Amino acid sequence: MAAENKNARVIVVGGGLAGLAACVRLAEQGVSVDCFSIVPVKRSHSVCAQGGINATNEIARQQGFSEWMHMDETLFGGDFLADQPPVYEMTHWAPRIIDLLDRMGVPFNRTPEGQRDLRLFGGSLFKRTHFSGATTGQQLMYALDEQVRRYEAEGKVAKYESWEFLWPITRGEGAERRCVGIVAQDLRTMQIRAFPAEAVIMATGGCGLIFGKSTNSVMCTGGAAARCYQAGAWYANGEMIQVHPTAIPGADKCRLMSESARGEGGRVWVPAKKGDTRDPRQIPENERYYLLEERYPKYGNLVPRDIASREIFSVCVDDHMGVDGRNQVYLDLSFKDRDELDRKLGGILEIYEKFAGEDPHDVPMKIFPAVHYTMGGLWTTFTPQERPADPRQDLNCGRDTVTGMKFGAANTMMTNITGLYAFGECNFAYHGATRLGANALLSCIFDGLFSGQGVVNYVRTEAEPVENVHQSLYDEAVQQEHFKTQRLIETAEAGHNDPATNPYQIALEMGDEMTAACTVVKTGPRMEQAMTRLRELQDRYQNVRLADGGMWTNQNLSFTRALGDMLILAEAILQGSINREESRGSHYRPDFPDRDDQRFHKTTIAKFNAKTGRPDFDYRDVVTGLVKLRPRDYGKTSSEPKKSKEPATV
Amino acid sequence: MTTATDTRTRTIKIKIKRCDGPGKPAYWQTFSVPVKRGEGANVISCLQYIAANPITDGGVATTPVAWKSGCLEEVCGACTMVINGKVRQSCSCLMDSACPNEGDTLTLEPMRKFPVIRDLFVDRTRLFESLKRVKAWVPIDNLWEQGAGPKETPDEQQTRYKLSECMSCGCCMDACPQFHQIADSAKWQTAFIGAAPISQVRYFNLHKTGATLKADRLSEMASQGGVSDCGNAQNCVKHCPKSIPLTESIAAVGRATTIHAIKQFFTGK
């Protein structure tokens, strides 16, 4: 081990919850941080998270809940695809994270006595979700943004906002390969530069834009993760994409209607009589079909998202019972007390009213599922640590020892490339085959605070100081990116809108095809067809043309570059879905309707093959040892979709 | 499907004030955009159409229009611009109400108080710098486990929550007659700070740990460019997309600043 490096620098790519939490941890520990973000960090996609953040508290404990149960729900919700020790550690750290956010000043909703209030969320029968109105993500983001600003004012964090990550810089081969910096581009001046660092943390979120319209923000292309994948980082469980059951379809995106709407009592229904076009307020209770409550009496409207999405999809697409004959169902809060709704859900009700033009205090909302979250992501590792079970946190776990992660281990959430880490949504580690509601904010902040300590230790004691890296390595990396940029810029022709080679048209077709073939319901033949289409789109991309050849704030270039990366990542997602011949969590294959633990209780690992330009696949056993696998049905009453109560008349 | 959509489709005009870069002259271009009724078309979907079809109404081949956007649901503040003369977020500007008829025109301009980078994309660095000026953070000791933060009543939480919804969009500054565009960042420190950061002073002073920096914040508010530069035009509160009670915040911070200044006068601290 070398002498401690006191001048170590870490690059954090992404300024959402995971990136900012990492900045805070690193800066507090005296490590210099350079934070890169396409948007000003305060405008990162984490602000869109609404419902809350899960953590056990004392009341839940007294009611028989515990961190162990939070872990169990998370593993069960994810259909056991997540490695178990990271989930153990995350759920057991959760209460500390809430306390810390509370100290940072997050305005969590309060009980009359002044305690932090809790709400019910999907996949649990206990209240364990802390919240701040219905804009919890925004509120947590702001608290971390404020702390980072404080470190920025003290000169401990440097922000590079409006800079785009282009490529990780590495040296060495195979197991010796280390990440020693990045190439990035200023999206205003278009300057391309290399930035050396002892370690790089990717905290770049999900890839919803591959599916066209999703609940994601416009920068969630997955481009940054896709670049790391092309540079040799493994991409795990790509096929696990979450479709959120309740969103408002729009022309530019699908706007999320938080699960907290159901957590606070919201009910999903359709008219029991097909073709019933009456005003929903005129439809009496006994002529409504509360599909989730009838099919899942135990969890009701709070079944996990993949299940709710499938049921809504099936009622609309298979049974043709959607409201007004369209693909939409009611999400009803109109029977609730107006003031309480405003205090707890004001933020989302305002969004519905602004974008749908109706007041959800008075009428049921019309919603439909939309692509929402990327459970898969860059493959990462960890150091397990066995310890005695804690009688409080591990209540009724029935064992003497448990296995979590070792705090401060240098490889915590490190990719297969030494010194390159993945935190937050772009990390595959915590959510398995479905993420439970209100666990995303938790996993992002947990990565920053917990896994961030591993990075501190890595750069201090294990990483080779970047002064030892020859400048030519950085110069070559910049040259490479200049070359790629130039290739695109040279295609430019003002006014270009030929659909065949227009990047926006190719993106549109990719999104439509991926949504149709690879979301709620996936079948082998349909996905093979989509693969043929995807290859055609990849071919068309080879001749893509820009409409802007300028070198000043060229957004056309940035979009088109990301499109190329999306087309490559889409293939890993699609091929991973074709290969996984089973149904597990969000990955539902009617042609293989059962979970097949024998063949597929394994992590999918896609490795980009630079020679073929396609993924090679490898499968690794999931790390278990804490919880035994069991069937995941959430007490469904019947596998047959229930038919309307009265015969169809229209 | 195609025949049915014909009756629902109309063509509207989007007139955009463009600029190729700092120091370059502004110019106007108009684009025709087909819009379907009842599909939630908004300014963003129109700009996306123009990006894919960068040809003006007069048939001139041009470059795609540059603009910023993020969440598209009015919580990130990125897509703020001046629409038909009024500053607001463009994502929540729906075409079915803004341009209901065939041939209706919508005018888009960049925000007026921040320097234009290109077209509708402006540089709001000053806004974030002003948050440093008022120490807009809670000065916690460290990240180690130390139990919960201070308790608060539901009423206190509701007051703080409302103030914390500020997404730093800059509408209050754009609409304010006392807030001017300043290119030289060295002069930001003494220029009028605007409503949003003043409201943040109130927000952080309401938190028990945040209030440990109360004196610093109020001293900043008492200095040049602080709360006394407010001309009470009340445009800020009218333009805030989140209905944050900005004028209440200004009044509260104004009173606190006066008390702070008197205390300073007598104690010499």
Side-chain angles (χ1 to χ4, degrees):
Chain A
M1 196 177 283
E4 191 166 303
N5 181 356
K6 293 221 162 45
N7 303 318
R9 262 198 123 64
V10 172
I11 284 172
V12 176
V13 183
L17 275 178
L20 294 181
C23 287
V24 171
R25 171 60 86 194
L26 292 160
E28 193 222 21
Q29 293 295 300
V31 175
S32 300
V33 185
D34 292 327
C35 179
F36 289 77
S37 174
I38 291 180
V39 294
V41 295
K42 196 174 180 180
R43 311 202 193 283
S44 299
H45 177 63
S46 302
V47 297
C48 288
Q50 298 171 341
I53 175 167
N54 291 331
T56 308
N57 80 346
E58 278 312 325
I59 296 173
R61 278 198 198 96
Q62 291 166 48
Q63 293 171 341
F65 193 72
S66 67
E67 283 86 340
W68 178 268
M69 283 177 71
H70 181 192
M71 175 199 71
D72 183 76
E73 287 171 349
T74 304
L75 292 170
F76 183 59
D79 224 346
F80 301 101
L81 192 60
D83 289 338
Q84 298 189 354
V87 179
Y88 178 90
E89 202 64 57
M90 173 179 81
T91 50
H92 285 65
W93 258 65
R96 296 185 220 188
I97 288 173
I98 298 296
D99 277 346
L100 178 62
L101 293 164
D102 192 18
R103 283 168 55 212
M104 288 176 178
V106 172
F108 285 114
N109 275 50
R110 300 283 163 166
T111 64
E113 188 186 324
Q115 311 283 1
R116 292 176 308 224
D117 203 359
L118 293 173
R119 69 167 39 133
L120 206 52
F121 238 76
S124 186
L125 298 171
F126 289 86
K127 285 190 179 181
R128 50 143 165 73
T129 304
H130 298 71
F131 62 103
S132 187
T135 61
T136 311
Q138 182 191 43
Q139 297 306 314
L140 304 190
M141 261 292 297
Y142 289 179
L144 290 170
D145 175 66
E146 289 149 11
Q147 295 299 322
V148 170
R149 186 164 293 106
R150 179 183 172 201
Y151 285 121
E152 191 191 11
E154 292 171 11
K156 294 174 178 166
V157 173
K159 282 186 194 151
Y160 292 84
E161 295 176 319
S162 290
W163 281 76
E164 182 175 359
F165 164 85
L166 298 184
W167 205 255
I169 302 174
T170 64
R171 67 183 302 208
E173 294 298 327
E176 296 300 305
R177 193 167 177 213
R178 278 173 186 260
C179 183
V180 293
I182 67 166
V183 187
Q185 180 169 38
D186 185 331
L187 295 174
R188 294 151 302 188
T189 65
M190 307 313 279
Q191 180 199 14
I192 295 174
R193 257 185 71 187
F195 294 85
E198 273 76 13
V200 173
I201 299 170
M202 301 303 294
T204 51
C207 62
L209 258 71
I210 286 177
F211 297 84
K213 283 188 267 184
S214 71
T215 64
N216 288 188
S217 295
V218 297
M219 55 281 189
C220 302
T221 62
R227 284 164 204 160
C228 293
Y229 161 64
Q230 291 167 81
W234 301 341
Y235 198 82
N237 292 343
E239 64 272 26
M240 296 305 172
I241 295 286
Q242 177 163 88
V243 178
H244 195 290
T246 60
I248 328 166
D252 52 342
K253 80 171 295 193
C254 298
R255 291 175 178 87
L256 178 66
M257 272 302 114
S258 171
E259 185 168 304
S260 57
R262 283 171 287 138
E264 296 294 349
R267 305 177 75 185
V268 173
W269 62 277
V270 289
K273 197 167 74 179
K274 204 190 283 187
D276 186 340
T277 54
R278 279 178 292 174
D279 181 310
R281 288 168 292 190
Q282 306 306 321
I283 300 178
E285 193 69 15
N286 62 357
E287 292 176 36
R288 298 176 176 191
Y289 177 34
Y290 291 98
L291 52 137
L292 296 174
E293 296 169 35
E294 293 204 19
R295 293 178 189 187
Y296 299 88
K298 194 171 168 196
Y299 285 83
N301 292 290
L302 287 172
V303 286
R305 291 169 178 177
D306 58 305
I307 295 176
S309 288
R310 272 200 293 282
E311 299 294 358
I312 292 171
F313 192 84
S314 132
V315 146
C316 294
V317 177
D318 302 334
D319 303 345
H320 306 286
M321 287 178 70
V323 172
D324 299 334
R326 298 172 73 158
N327 282 339
Q328 52 189 14
V329 300
Y330 288 127
L331 170 58
D332 197 349
L333 283 164
S334 61
F335 58 92
K336 299 273 293 181
D337 174 66
R338 180 171 276 267
D339 289 341
E340 190 192 348
L341 284 181
D342 284 340
R343 262 184 293 120
K344 294 184 168 173
L345 298 170
I348 57 163
L349 301 185
E350 189 184 303
I351 289 175
Y352 189 84
E353 194 170 353
K354 277 196 180 173
F355 289 95
E358 288 183 319
D359 183 355
H361 295 90
D362 299 329
V363 292
M365 298 181 272
K366 291 176 200 151
I367 53 92
F368 195 69
V371 168
H372 180 58
Y373 191 85
T374 309
M375 274 81 67
L378 294 168
W379 180 85
T380 51
T381 186
F382 60 90
T383 302
Q385 185 187 56
E386 198 172 332
R387 61 183 83 131
D390 179 319
R392 251 172 89 251
Q393 297 200 315
D394 300 316
L395 189 71
N396 300 330
C397 77
R399 47 195 305 145
D400 299 331
T401 62
V402 293
T403 309
M405 291 197 289
K406 188 176 174 202
F407 182 59
N411 71 344
T412 313
M413 299 305 141
M414 191 190 271
T415 67
N416 57 306
I417 299 172
T418 305
L420 180 68
Y421 295 80
F423 287 7
E425 190 173 348
C426 74
N427 177 7
F428 93 112
Y430 303 100
H431 307 295
T434 289
R435 175 176 68 74
L436 289 189
N439 263 351
L441 300 183
L442 176 61
S443 62
C444 287
I445 299 174
F446 172 73
D447 260 346
L449 296 178
F450 181 94
S451 312
Q453 187 63 36
V455 183
V456 171
N457 293 340
Y458 169 75
V459 299
R460 284 266 167 78
T461 60
E462 291 188 19
E464 195 183 351
V466 285
E467 292 99 81
N468 303 349
V469 179
H470 204 276
Q471 183 60 35
S472 62
L473 186 74
Y474 295 108
D475 294 342
E476 281 163 25
V478 170
Q479 262 331 101
Q480 191 66 35
E481 292 306 313
H482 266 299
F483 174 76
K484 290 191 227 169
T485 303
Q486 205 48 41
R487 218 192 113 257
L488 282 175
I489 286 288
E490 280 166 4
T491 67
E493 172 200 31
H496 177 71
N497 70 344
D498 176 357
T501 52
N502 187 304
Y504 301 97
Q505 183 62 33
I506 296 174
L508 191 73
E509 292 178 35
M510 170 184 67
D512 286 349
E513 189 65 17
M514 287 298 285
T515 299
C518 200
T519 49
V520 180
V521 178
K522 308 175 184 180
T523 66
R526 182 65 186 86
M527 289 194 288
E528 293 291 356
Q529 189 190 333
M531 185 61 85
T532 308
R533 286 281 293 126
L534 189 62
R535 299 257 164 88
E536 284 166 21
L537 293 171
Q538 288 171 340
D539 287 345
R540 271 164 63 187
Y541 181 79
Q542 294 309 311
N543 299 311
V544 75
R545 292 193 78 162
L546 303 189
D548 187 351
M551 283 305 273
W552 180 262
T553 319
N554 188 337
Q555 296 177 334
N556 198 204
L557 168 72
S558 176
F559 178 84
T560 306
R561 178 168 51 207
L563 172 63
D565 300 312
M566 285 193 275
L567 286 164
I568 285 170
L569 194 58
E571 183 167 343
I573 293 169
L574 193 55
Q575 191 61 53
S577 298
I578 292 170
N579 293 359
R580 187 175 279 279
E581 293 177 332
E582 65 159 352
S583 291
R584 184 184 296 271
S586 298
H587 176 75
Y588 174 58
R589 294 274 307 255
D591 44 356
F592 297 94
D594 298 318
R595 193 173 83 194
D596 183 350
D597 292 328
Q598 194 68 34
R599 286 176 71 205
F600 289 108
H601 188 225
K602 288 178 177 9
T603 301
T604 306
I605 296 179
K607 301 176 180 177
F608 183 73
N609 183 328
K611 289 197 186 85
T612 60
R614 310 210 180 287
D616 294 333
F617 284 88
D618 196 2
Y619 290 85
R620 291 198 164 200
D621 287 338
V622 174
V623 181
T624 54
L626 293 170
V627 173
K628 282 208 179 82
L629 273 64
R630 58 185 190 272
R632 178 185 185 266
D633 61 5
Y634 287 92
K636 183 165 185 171
T637 51
S638 148
S639 61
E640 286 297 303
K642 184 158 177 165
K643 298 301 173 203
S644 49
K645 289 178 178 173
E646 291 173 36
T649 52
V650 180
Chain B
M1 192 73 185
T2 44
T3 47
T5 54
D6 288 341
T7 55
R8 293 194 296 134
T9 302
R10 65 191 183 282
T11 301
I12 58 162
K13 293 188 189 302
I14 308 278
K15 186 180 170 196
I16 302 173
K17 187 178 184 182
R18 304 197 59 178
C19 171
D20 295 341
K24 305 263 174 69
Y27 58 98
W28 291 89
Q29 280 182 340
T30 302
F31 300 86
S32 289
V33 178
V35 170
K36 278 184 204 160
R37 190 173 307 283
E39 304 242 311
N42 57 0
V43 169
I44 301 295
S45 65
C46 291
L47 285 170
Q48 286 172 340
Y49 177 86
I50 294 169
N53 301 279
I55 299 170
T56 70
D57 213 18
V60 178
T62 183
T63 51
V65 176
W67 87 99
K68 286 301 276 185
S69 60
C71 71
L72 310 185
E73 48 198 58
E74 219 187 58
V75 285
C76 83
C79 70
T80 311
M81 57 183 77
V82 176
I83 302 175
N84 286 347
K86 186 171 185 280
V87 68
R88 59 173 296 179
Q89 278 72 53
S90 52
C91 64
S92 57
C93 180
L94 304 180
M95 304 320 291
D96 284 353
S97 47
C99 289
N101 304 310
E102 174 74 24
D104 281 352
T105 299
L106 193 80
T107 306
L108 305 180
E109 297 168 77
M111 295 178 81
R112 296 158 289 206
K113 303 293 174 67
F114 299 97
V116 172
I117 293 171
R118 184 177 178 183
D119 297 334
L120 303 170
F121 176 12
V122 298
D123 180 358
R124 281 172 277 183
T125 304
R126 179 180 169 196
L127 202 164
F128 295 114
E129 286 300 313
S130 68
L131 295 176
K132 288 184 198 156
R133 205 171 140 187
V134 298
K135 299 190 178 169
W137 50 74
V138 173
I140 56 167
D141 288 344
N142 52 50
L143 303 178
W144 301 112
E145 192 178 355
Q146 303 203 52
K151 259 196 191 182
E152 65 182 346
T153 67
D155 282 351
E156 288 166 336
Q157 183 271 343
Q158 286 291 301
T159 304
R160 289 204 311 118
Y161 176 74
K162 193 68 225 165
L163 302 178
S164 183
E165 280 191 297
C166 173
M167 54 189 175
S168 298
C169 66
C171 284
C172 58
M173 298 168 175
D174 194 87
C176 174
Q178 303 304 117
F179 190 95
H180 304 289
Q181 188 176 144
I182 296 168
D184 180 2
S185 60
K187 292 182 180 152
W188 292 346
Q189 197 64 27
T190 51
F192 179 48
I193 196 162
I198 295 175
S199 191
Q200 291 289 295
V201 168
R202 180 177 171 215
Y203 174 68
F204 286 100
N205 287 356
L206 282 172
H207 186 268
K208 287 185 184 70
T209 317
T212 56
L213 294 173
K214 187 174 175 180
D216 290 6
R217 295 194 193 101
L218 294 179
S219 293
E220 184 60 35
M221 285 293 101
S223 68
Q224 197 185 345
V227 68
S228 65
D229 285 21
C230 166
N232 203 26
Q234 308 205 7
N235 286 4
C236 52
V237 75
K238 287 174 208 146
H239 286 79
C240 177
K242 296 288 121 183
S243 310
I244 296 168
L246 293 168
T247 43
E248 265 176 44
S249 289
I250 292 171
V253 171
R255 277 194 303 276
T257 304
T258 307
I259 293 165
H260 172 73
I262 294 169
K263 242 172 39 192
Q264 260 188 331
F265 179 80
F266 284 109
T267 62
K269 281 180 202 160

